[in-house]
Amino acid sequence: MRLVQAISSEKIVVFEKESVTLPLGFKAGGMHCGIKRKRLDLGYIVSEVPATAAGVYTTNVFQAAPLLVTQESIAKEQKLQAILVNSGNANACTGEQGLMDAYEMQKNFAAELHIDDHLVAVTSTGVIGELLPMDKINQGIKQILQKEYEQEDNFKKAILTTDTTVKNTAVQLKIDGKTVSIGGAAKGSGMIHPNMATMLGFVTTDANIAYDDLVSALKDVTNQTFNMITVDGDTSTNDMVLVMANGLAKNNQLTKEHPDWDLFVSGLKIVCESLAKKIARDGEGATKLIEVNVSGAYSLEAARAVGKSIISSNLVKTAIYGTDANWGRIVTAIGYSGVPVDPNTVKVGIGPITVFENGLPCVFVEEEAKEYLEQENVQIFVELNQGDCSAAAWGCDLTYDYVKINASYRT
Amino acid sequence: MRLVQAISSEKIVVFEKESVTLPLGFKAGGMHCGIKRKRLDLGYIVSEVPATAAGVYTTNVFQAAPLLVTQESIAKEQKLQAILVNSGNANACTGEQGLMDAYEMQKNFAAELHIDDHLVAVTSTGVIGELLPMDKINQGIKQILQKEYEQEDNFKKAILTTDTTVKNTAVQLKIDGKTVSIGGAAKGSGMIHPNMATMLGFVTTDANIAYDDLVSALKDVTNQTFNMITVDGDTSTNDMVLVMANGLAKNNQLTKEHPDWDLFVSGLKIVCESLAKKIARDGEGATKLIEVNVSGAYSLEAARAVGKSIISSNLVKTAIYGTDANWGRIVTAIGYSGVPVDPNTVKVGIGPITVFENGLPCVFVEEEAKEYLEQENVQIFVELNQGDCSAAAWGCDLTYDYVKINASYRT
């Protein structure tokens, strides 16, 4: 894999408050149709014209019905014009009826839009094993395109479950003298683990881009962003990230040979990384975002494995919740990552404080470490001194509230 | 691998209250030497004669110093006559000095016993990254063989860290008309995960047994017992299980060809499984023991992988703590186990209640499931309908107290 070159940040403008409708030709909205008690539970993104589309999906063998329908639909002509999302019910483990319901959602929304069925992606998130309340959803589909529901903010809210905040970001960059925008929104809070966790990500762009290259960019970027977060180690049945590129920015078609390919991929990465970190920070019960930076690995896979091992450790997560600079747990997690590291060359830092080096603990002031760990964003650095590869992973602390939320919430 | 035949329970007598000194020729003791504030922290097992010895060790690449010393010592002539254990300090991540300290412990205890150094195994458990207080340990070693400390109960207590109870069991069986005893004691509470977690297990027997066959029996049995438990998914730097067989029962030497081989292995398995379950039940903060039984797998590895996936899921563990029959989380964990199961043939039961079958949820009375989950021992059954292999895995629920213990305890 060719690594995309780092792009000077001047070339990419980040709009933290913007989302999926910053790119030209996209609208979004959401409403309460009655799946949840009160909060918004049905949302859409629609493009003026069919957009080149790509997706990545959960690796869980119990894939939910809407994922099957969406994958099949994109396979037809690699295009989407709309995405319909419901929250509150995952339509997972629902058998034949669940599949029929997913097709019905697709068909009815396509009819409202007067487009072909296969141009509509359907996605669901929420409780597993219950049939969708199709009466309510069909009623919702009939009304949702009304002007009053058309608000990007409604969309961002309609996709949430146990999330406490909406998650969005957008960037702009210049390609062939044209302004290209990439916007994203996501949900995810529990059942979050690398390889597509209970997580939905929606990315829109007005870039003109070749299908194969869009697929490969999405895959690469997802491996570096969404697949590097964990909340609880559980990989859900419903995860997916979809990207729609409608070409309305009118740049020359992007391919890997285009001089600004790296710029576009960097922009896509900024959007996905921002969404991924927001999901990790909003992990169920979390009070902190933890970022692990691994460098000096002999391969990208090794760097990622070490990062994921640390970020997934319940003992590391509880120590950070307790603002305890318990580096022994970090070292232990490195040790069982499956990567043959040499204990005598590993260096570990908690923020600015080096805690372990040359196989031995370092002397440091506990109070300073405690003060650092009291921050909302905690960074852990690991230098393996075995090579040139590096990776970042994101997660959150494990708290009383995680237990509270999950001892009672029926997913 | 030939599977050992199930042995009728009449042939094996279980003594739940006995431990490592039930077999002939073993004594054990423990004392407070000052590593911990008040509780016992130094313990030993001694055999009258050198015993054939075998061990299994952590897979963590950061192996603690005492493990290196013990492995090297057993390698010399496959024998041990004594085991010295300290708790409160793991002597892990302590570099050259840690290694020298482990050798010093070994040497000094061997001198007290007037035996060769390599006949003494040393093991440590507790805080990572601090040097052992060798003054206190050496003082302890000088006194520990005094009559007043010689009590099996002291040994069982001296090996504990965050454990809330001692863990022991023993069995007796007849081989060649001789009574053969197998006894065990263990510790383990946090950093517990398959492949030798922070867990120490000590097994003694007076059986006369060939070294190679003892090694293979220990490995097989460990894979079915100690390696099938998890508390928090963290594999420690210090895990080990040691078995000493001193031959004083005077049976004809046991080998795989001996007619009572299966009987001996079954006895060993009962001891190890009992200790493993006690460790799981005493997991940090746990209120319940969870047992997952997987059947119908196409291989033993597949059965174990599915069992471990379920027992390791934070979401399953919190649901059981909350007495919530959240089968969706069980199904999800099966789905990400890495085993290519067919969702349409999987059957899942929570105790006597079937909750999922033929790809669909079953109708069941929530209140009945809740009542079942209120018990202290919870069983989950999974039938994959793909073959004839089965496995059991054990763990515990994830509670507020787990977070409390680990947000403050400095391992």
Side-chain angles (χ1 to χ4, degrees):
Chain A
M1 188 181 74
R2 186 175 70 92
L3 279 175
V4 168
Q5 290 217 297
I7 296 295
S8 119
S9 57
E10 291 152 36
K11 291 196 166 173
I12 299 174
V13 187
V14 178
F15 299 86
E16 277 296 342
K17 297 199 172 161
E18 295 290 338
S19 177
V20 291
T21 57
L22 183 65
L24 297 174
F26 288 96
K27 63 178 182 174
M31 68 181 293
H32 170 76
C33 80
I35 308 170
K36 293 182 189 164
R37 220 166 26 177
K38 274 189 167 179
R39 289 178 300 147
L40 304 196
D41 51 21
L42 194 65
Y44 71 85
I45 301 174
V46 171
S47 169
E48 279 175 19
V49 295
T52 300
V56 284
Y57 307 90
T58 185
T59 53
N60 197 305
V61 300
F62 288 84
Q63 276 202 357
L67 277 78
L68 301 172
V69 172
T70 296
Q71 277 172 281
E72 182 191 275
S73 300
I74 292 180
K76 282 212 176 134
E77 51 167 339
Q78 291 85 49
K79 289 203 183 298
L80 285 178
Q81 194 167 349
I83 299 172
L84 183 67
V85 192
N86 76 271
S87 59
N89 184 319
N91 194 10
C93 299
T94 44
E96 271 304 309
Q97 185 62 48
L99 203 58
M100 279 159 57
D101 290 346
Y103 280 121
E104 188 178 330
M105 275 176 74
Q106 179 185 49
K107 187 170 179 258
N108 290 347
F109 195 50
E112 293 295 321
L113 291 164
H114 310 291
I115 61 176
D116 287 344
D117 291 0
H118 71 266
L119 292 174
V120 175
V122 285
T123 73
S124 300
T125 177
V127 179
I128 293 174
E130 291 182 11
L131 292 175
L132 288 173
M134 287 306 294
D135 282 0
K136 291 173 181 172
I137 288 176
N138 285 333
Q139 277 299 324
I141 289 172
K142 278 196 185 119
Q143 301 164 35
I144 199 167
L145 291 170
Q146 290 170 17
K147 211 65 196 164
E148 59 180 306
Y149 301 121
E150 187 188 325
Q151 278 185 52
E152 186 188 73
D153 209 48
N154 280 6
F155 174 76
K156 292 185 293 189
K157 287 178 183 160
I159 64 179
L160 307 181
T161 56
T162 53
D163 304 60
T164 65
T165 62
V166 298
K167 297 166 184 75
N168 58 274
T169 205
V171 299
Q172 280 185 337
L173 35 96
K174 290 270 180 199
I175 292 178
D176 304 323
K178 314 286 185 184
T179 297
V180 167
S181 303
I182 309 173
K187 70 81 44 179
S189 188
M191 261 200 199
I192 298 287
H193 194 61
N195 293 316
M196 293 294 96
T198 307
M199 195 195 75
L200 300 176
F202 303 101
V203 178
T204 57
T205 176
D206 44 22
N208 172 20
I209 182 168
Y211 170 71
D212 287 345
D213 297 301
L214 180 63
V215 168
S216 112
L218 178 65
K219 206 176 145 196
D220 287 356
V221 166
T222 299
N223 281 337
Q224 293 174 68
T225 57
F226 291 117
N227 282 346
M228 292 305 291
I229 59 174
T230 191
V231 167
D232 50 21
D234 285 81
T235 304
S236 137
T237 50
N238 286 55
D239 308 328
M240 83 173 119
V241 176
L242 292 176
V243 55
M244 292 165 78
N246 69 10
L248 294 182
K250 301 198 184 300
N251 56 293
N252 297 331
Q253 191 178 52
L254 279 163
T255 65
K256 283 181 185 137
E257 284 67 46
H258 192 291
D260 282 330
W261 173 254
D262 286 2
L263 179 64
F264 175 80
V265 175
S266 297
L268 183 63
K269 189 180 169 206
I270 289 173
V271 169
C272 291
E273 184 175 313
S274 169
L275 295 175
K277 286 165 79 167
K278 284 170 182 162
I279 290 170
R281 172 62 187 86
D282 196 28
E284 287 171 347
T287 69
K288 293 171 197 303
L289 173 69
I290 307 172
E291 176 169 311
V292 177
N293 285 290
V294 180
S295 56
Y298 59 78
S299 73
L300 210 51
E301 290 65 35
R304 287 178 186 163
V306 169
K308 282 183 188 179
S309 186
I310 297 169
I311 209 76
S312 304
S313 161
N314 279 354
L315 289 170
V316 170
K317 288 150 65 78
T318 44
I320 289 176
Y321 173 54
T323 65
D324 177 9
N326 197 323
W327 57 267
R329 295 180 182 175
I330 300 171
V331 168
T332 299
I334 297 168
Y336 63 69
S337 66
V339 175
V341 304
D342 176 356
N344 295 313
T345 65
V346 174
K347 183 174 169 180
V348 177
I350 296 177
I353 303 159
T354 300
V355 291
F356 187 81
E357 199 169 6
N358 302 324
L360 287 170
C362 303
V363 177
F364 64 93
V365 183
E366 287 280 349
E367 272 315 302
E368 281 174 18
K370 200 170 171 56
E371 204 168 299
Y372 174 76
L373 289 172
E374 272 160 5
Q375 297 181 112
E376 198 184 311
N377 293 308
V378 168
Q379 292 195 303
I380 295 171
F381 297 94
V382 176
E383 167 60 51
L384 298 175
N385 282 309
Q386 296 186 312
D388 293 327
C389 296
S390 60
W394 298 274
C396 59
D397 51 347
L398 174 59
T399 70
Y400 295 107
D401 279 351
Y402 176 83
V403 178
K404 187 174 173 185
I405 291 164
N406 285 301
S408 56
Y409 177 79
R410 175 64 63 94
T411 38
Chain B
M1 188 182 74
R2 185 174 70 91
L3 278 177
V4 167
Q5 289 216 298
I7 297 294
S8 118
S9 56
E10 291 151 36
K11 291 194 166 177
I12 300 174
V13 187
V14 178
F15 299 86
E16 276 296 340
K17 296 199 172 159
E18 295 291 338
S19 178
V20 291
T21 58
L22 183 65
L24 297 174
F26 288 96
K27 63 177 183 175
M31 67 181 294
H32 170 76
C33 79
I35 308 171
K36 294 181 189 164
R37 222 166 24 177
K38 277 189 166 178
R39 288 177 301 147
L40 304 196
D41 50 20
L42 193 65
Y44 71 86
I45 302 174
V46 171
S47 170
E48 279 174 21
V49 295
T52 300
V56 285
Y57 307 90
T58 185
T59 54
N60 196 304
V61 300
F62 288 83
Q63 275 202 358
L67 278 78
L68 302 172
V69 172
T70 296
Q71 276 172 281
E72 183 191 273
S73 300
I74 293 180
K76 280 209 178 135
E77 52 168 338
Q78 292 84 50
K79 289 204 183 297
L80 285 178
Q81 195 168 348
I83 298 172
L84 182 67
V85 191
N86 77 272
S87 59
N89 184 319
N91 194 10
C93 299
T94 45
E96 271 304 308
Q97 186 60 48
L99 203 57
M100 281 159 57
D101 291 346
Y103 280 120
E104 188 177 330
M105 276 176 73
Q106 180 185 49
K107 186 172 179 254
N108 290 347
F109 195 50
E112 294 296 321
L113 292 164
H114 310 292
I115 60 176
D116 288 343
D117 292 1
H118 72 265
L119 291 174
V120 176
V122 284
T123 72
S124 301
T125 176
V127 179
I128 293 175
E130 291 182 13
L131 291 175
L132 289 174
M134 287 306 293
D135 283 0
K136 292 173 181 170
I137 288 175
N138 285 333
Q139 277 299 323
I141 289 172
K142 278 195 188 121
Q143 301 165 34
I144 200 166
L145 291 170
Q146 290 169 16
K147 211 63 197 166
E148 59 179 306
Y149 301 122
E150 187 189 325
Q151 278 186 53
E152 186 189 72
D153 210 46
N154 280 7
F155 173 76
K156 292 184 293 189
K157 286 178 184 162
I159 64 178
L160 306 181
T161 57
T162 52
D163 303 62
T164 65
T165 61
V166 298
K167 296 165 184 77
N168 57 275
T169 206
V171 299
Q172 279 186 337
L173 34 96
K174 291 270 181 198
I175 293 178
D176 304 323
K178 314 285 185 185
T179 297
V180 167
S181 303
I182 309 172
K187 69 83 44 180
S189 188
M191 260 199 202
I192 299 285
H193 193 61
N195 293 317
M196 293 296 95
T198 307
M199 195 195 75
L200 299 176
F202 304 102
V203 178
T204 56
T205 176
D206 43 23
N208 172 20
I209 181 167
Y211 170 71
D212 287 346
D213 296 302
L214 181 63
V215 169
S216 111
L218 179 66
K219 207 177 144 197
D220 286 357
V221 167
T222 299
N223 281 338
Q224 293 174 66
T225 57
F226 292 117
N227 282 345
M228 290 306 290
I229 59 175
T230 192
V231 167
D232 50 21
D234 285 79
T235 304
S236 138
T237 51
N238 286 54
D239 309 327
M240 82 173 121
V241 175
L242 292 175
V243 57
M244 292 165 78
N246 68 10
L248 295 182
K250 302 197 183 301
N251 56 292
N252 298 330
Q253 190 178 54
L254 280 163
T255 65
K256 282 181 187 141
E257 284 67 46
H258 192 292
D260 283 330
W261 174 254
D262 286 2
L263 179 64
F264 176 79
V265 176
S266 296
L268 183 63
K269 190 181 167 202
I270 289 173
V271 170
C272 292
E273 182 174 313
S274 169
L275 296 175
K277 285 164 80 167
K278 283 170 181 162
I279 291 170
R281 172 63 187 86
D282 196 28
E284 287 170 347
T287 69
K288 293 171 198 301
L289 173 70
I290 307 172
E291 176 169 311
V292 178
N293 286 290
V294 180
S295 55
Y298 59 79
S299 74
L300 210 50
E301 290 64 37
R304 288 178 184 163
V306 169
K308 283 184 188 179
S309 185
I310 296 168
I311 209 76
S312 304
S313 160
N314 279 353
L315 289 170
V316 171
K317 287 151 64 80
T318 45
I320 288 175
Y321 173 54
T323 64
D324 177 10
N326 196 323
W327 58 266
R329 295 181 183 175
I330 300 170
V331 168
T332 299
I334 297 168
Y336 64 70
S337 67
V339 175
V341 305
D342 176 354
N344 295 313
T345 65
V346 174
K347 183 174 169 181
V348 177
I350 296 177
I353 303 159
T354 300
V355 291
F356 187 81
E357 199 169 6
N358 303 325
L360 286 171
C362 303
V363 177
F364 64 93
V365 183
E366 288 281 346
E367 272 315 302
E368 281 174 17
K370 198 170 173 59
E371 204 168 301
Y372 175 77
L373 289 172
E374 271 159 7
Q375 296 182 112
E376 198 184 311
N377 293 310
V378 168
Q379 292 195 303
I380 294 171
F381 297 94
V382 176
E383 167 60 52
L384 298 175
N385 282 309
Q386 295 186 312
D388 293 327
C389 297
S390 60
W394 299 273
C396 59
D397 51 346
L398 175 59
T399 70
Y400 294 108
D401 279 351
Y402 176 84
V403 177
K404 187 173 173 185
I405 292 163
N406 285 300
S408 57
Y409 177 78
R410 173 66 60 97
T411 39

